[in-house]
Amino acid sequence: MRSLALAAVLLSAVPVTAAQGGKLAKRPNILVIVADDWSWPHAGVYGDKVARTPNFDKFARQGALFHRAYTAAPTCTPSRAGILTGQAIHRLQEGGNLHGILPQRYAVYPDLLEAAGYVIGLVGKGWGPGVLEGSGRTRNPAGPRSKGFAEFLKALPPDRPFCFWFGSTKPHRPYKAGTGVGAGFDPKAVKVPPWWPDTPAVRSDICDYYLEVERFDAQVGELLKLLADSGRADNTLVIIISDNGMPFPRCKANLYDYGTHEPMAVRWPARFRGPVESNAFIGFTDLAPTILEAAGVKVPADMTGRSFLDQLQDRAAQTTDRDKVFVERERHANVRKGDHSYPSRAVRTADYLYVRNFRPDRWPAGDPELYVAVGPYGDIDDGPTKRAVMKLADGAPAQKRLFELSCGKRPAEELYDLKKDPWEMNNVAADPAYGKVKAGLRAALDKWMTDTGDPRAGAGGGDDRWDRFQYFGQPAKQKKGKKQTLLFPRPESGSRRTALLSRPDGSG
């Protein structure tokens, strides 16, 4: 697919006339398909020569492919909260942490659509992991559980629009070692990021990840076929994304690109035709207002995201002001003494990534000692690549640097020149030559934090309320005699090929 010049940020969408597309006043159906831990650019349509993603690739060519789509936070629960609420995660209190709650006072787009007459459904991993108790909610914020997408469509009244969330558990760990190579992925062909040691075990681990990406793509194909067979595909807005980056060191739970930069494609045949490619920066908090605008439902004023619907369907409205995106994180896993988070905020532009770490005295990947049942550096998912990185802790300087990049402490400020350093290996924040650039990005980040009501704004980052919010994962701190409804307490085993399309809880 032909890439657009960066100057032509968006899009060559062709609006469909009423004669071509039928009654445009008819409200669209909404289908959101979410992968679990899938990083950009691991799809064939993005130029990845190893990925086997024929369904996603075909879908993207029929609609719009986004090159600069970013999660709100590189960790499951807050990422999904940002998608559902359209709000920056620092506004969501407990919703900003993994294994927390999402208070009912924060409106989610499925509830708003249901109030407007939509039929709502969910299969697989919706919002979570977290608990309902204490949130004021009686169901998953992504919607009520359905037996499967096929059953949902069969039961759907012909005169009612639907909003459906399909949450895969792929390519989340754990993986069965060697399955990727066994499925025909060539370990010699994979690209090993320079922050990991290039070993056979690491290459095989990457192949296992690619196999799980392929299995997610198969789920996409089945969902799209069910939609087409139902006769509702033309007027269905379909969005395919990932919640956060791949479960490897310096990826998931990090504000670097492999933690926050995600695949994204959108299709709505009744309103625009592809192929379209976009270099606009889209944050996943933009999804909820886009969906609501498409459905003709008023967008709540407290949503910090903004609709990108105009970019798809109206050439005259296409703008070049989507030139940056903001990402953040608070507590991922319970892997630091005192339940401490690793609070960070970042701004990403076409040329730079600027990161501010508010607690540089803490370990970004978790405490190094064996902390409770999680093990050292517990914010990194266990696997062969993590173990290969940890073995370098006492190695030669070049080897130890790889260990430090994933596990070592980080300074209060990081700045990466992405044209010279696309892998984000060399922090130039202390280089006087970048002083003006750093000041500008810092000012932009400060303004965003202030404008969106970030509790860490203007206080030197000193508001540590997220450390005090209860963590409901393992080891959970539950009150005696009380049992919480834990949503998605563990990932599906990577060794089992479960379609999820007919499973209500996605647990396999």
Side-chain angles (χ1 to χ4, degrees):
M1 187 181 287
R2 181 175 57 86
S3 295
L4 297 179
L6 291 181
V9 175
L10 254 165
L11 285 159
S12 56
V14 180
V16 181
T17 66
Q20 293 170 316
K23 295 181 179 179
L24 295 186
K26 184 179 179 182
R27 293 182 296 174
N29 306 301
I30 308 295
L31 173 60
V32 177
I33 304 172
V34 186
D36 197 359
D37 297 4
W38 179 30
S39 288
W40 185 94
H42 301 143
V45 75
Y46 286 123
D48 191 308
K49 303 299 184 185
V50 177
R52 301 196 298 231
T53 53
N55 295 299
F56 180 79
D57 298 349
K58 180 181 178 181
F59 174 88
R61 293 188 180 100
Q62 294 169 340
L65 179 69
F66 291 83
H67 292 274
R68 292 173 174 167
Y70 285 77
T71 184
T75 166
C76 290
T77 313
S79 167
R80 292 158 188 266
I83 293 167
L84 289 161
T85 65
Q87 297 204 46
I89 68 158
H90 57 252
R91 297 169 61 87
L92 303 178
Q93 298 293 315
E94 298 95 328
N97 283 345
L98 184 75
H99 278 294
I101 66 172
L102 183 60
Q104 188 180 30
R105 64 183 177 273
Y106 302 113
V108 293
Y109 77 79
D111 289 352
L112 296 172
L113 291 181
E114 185 175 45
Y118 274 71
V119 180
I120 310 301
L122 159 69
V123 161
K125 184 175 180 178
W127 172 86
V131 299
L132 293 179
E133 283 77 11
S135 70
R137 301 180 187 273
T138 58
R139 71 184 192 195
N140 193 297
R145 293 283 174 191
S146 301
K147 289 183 178 180
F149 188 47
E151 291 83 352
F152 175 85
L153 290 172
K154 287 177 184 176
L156 193 65
D159 59 340
R160 296 275 300 279
F162 73 80
C163 171
F164 195 88
W165 173 297
F166 176 83
S168 180
T169 55
K170 299 180 180 301
H172 199 293
R173 289 187 186 273
Y175 309 145
K176 185 175 181 181
T179 53
V181 173
F185 287 92
D186 182 1
K188 294 178 182 177
V190 302
K191 184 178 291 185
V192 179
W195 358 275
W196 303 332
D198 190 346
T199 68
V202 169
R203 286 181 172 271
S204 180
D205 197 23
I206 298 171
C207 288
D208 295 341
Y209 160 79
Y210 272 118
L211 175 60
E212 295 302 306
V213 171
E214 181 181 41
R215 289 173 173 172
F216 167 72
D217 187 74
Q219 294 173 338
V220 168
E222 189 172 347
L223 286 163
L224 295 177
K225 184 178 186 304
L226 289 170
L227 180 64
D229 291 347
S230 75
R232 295 175 179 263
D234 187 62
N235 196 34
T236 299
L237 173 62
V238 183
I239 300 172
I240 303 177
I241 56 172
S242 173
D243 60 348
N244 49 251
M246 62 194 299
F248 284 72
R250 205 173 165 86
C251 300
K252 179 180 176 181
N254 288 272
L255 299 187
Y256 309 119
D257 269 17
Y258 266 56
T260 61
H261 192 179
E262 312 303 332
M264 174 173 156
V266 178
R267 190 185 73 184
W268 186 7
R271 295 302 293 262
F272 76 94
R273 298 184 189 277
V276 165
E277 289 192 69
S278 167
N279 282 312
F281 281 93
I282 303 295
F284 284 173
T285 56
D286 296 333
L287 295 178
T290 301
I291 289 167
L292 293 174
E293 183 183 348
V297 176
K298 185 178 179 181
V299 177
D302 57 1
M303 286 191 175
T304 58
R306 61 185 176 119
S307 171
F308 57 84
L309 194 62
D310 59 340
Q311 305 290 317
L312 296 173
Q313 64 185 33
D314 186 352
R315 272 185 167 183
Q318 290 168 16
T319 63
T320 58
D321 66 338
R322 290 183 177 269
D323 59 353
K324 65 177 71 70
V325 71
F326 299 94
V327 294
E328 57 186 313
R329 65 153 288 178
E330 285 293 337
R331 188 173 64 211
H332 183 58
N334 179 6
V335 294
R336 296 173 195 84
K337 291 177 180 176
D339 292 354
H340 286 168
S341 69
Y342 190 78
S344 302
R345 307 286 187 269
V347 54
R348 172 66 154 85
T349 69
D351 297 332
Y352 297 99
L353 172 68
Y354 170 75
V355 182
R356 191 177 312 163
N357 301 309
F358 292 109
R359 291 288 177 261
D361 56 308
R362 299 178 185 173
W363 296 95
D367 289 349
E369 67 266 23
L370 287 173
Y371 183 56
V372 289
V374 180
Y377 309 110
D379 269 354
I380 306 173
D381 287 28
D382 189 31
T385 302
K386 176 181 178 177
R387 294 192 286 272
V389 167
M390 289 178 58
K391 287 180 181 178
L392 304 180
D394 298 317
Q399 294 179 313
K400 188 171 182 178
R401 181 168 186 260
L402 300 186
F403 167 80
E404 293 291 341
L405 284 170
S406 291
C407 303
K409 290 184 177 181
R410 296 166 186 168
E413 292 183 292
E414 299 176 71
L415 177 64
Y416 299 93
D417 183 337
L418 302 174
K419 286 187 175 179
K420 295 180 179 178
D421 179 26
W423 291 103
E424 303 162 339
M425 295 278 288
N426 302 302
N427 179 16
V428 297
D431 187 337
Y434 289 91
K436 186 175 180 180
V437 169
K438 184 174 74 171
L441 293 171
R442 184 185 179 105
L445 185 60
D446 284 341
K447 184 177 187 305
W448 174 74
M449 292 173 64
T450 299
D451 289 350
T452 56
D454 191 335
R456 294 194 184 276
D463 191 324
D464 283 325
R465 65 184 65 188
W466 288 274
D467 293 354
R468 299 188 292 274
F469 293 138
Q470 189 168 356
Y471 181 88
F472 294 99
Q474 295 299 324
K477 294 185 172 180
Q478 299 179 2
K479 293 180 180 178
K480 266 191 173 182
K482 287 207 170 185
K483 184 179 180 182
Q484 281 89 7
T485 304
L486 187 60
L487 304 180
F488 271 81
R490 60 183 63 84
E492 179 191 37
S493 170
S495 66
R496 299 179 66 184
R497 188 170 185 174
T498 306
L500 285 182
L501 296 176
S502 60
R503 295 210 176 237
D505 63 357
S507 64

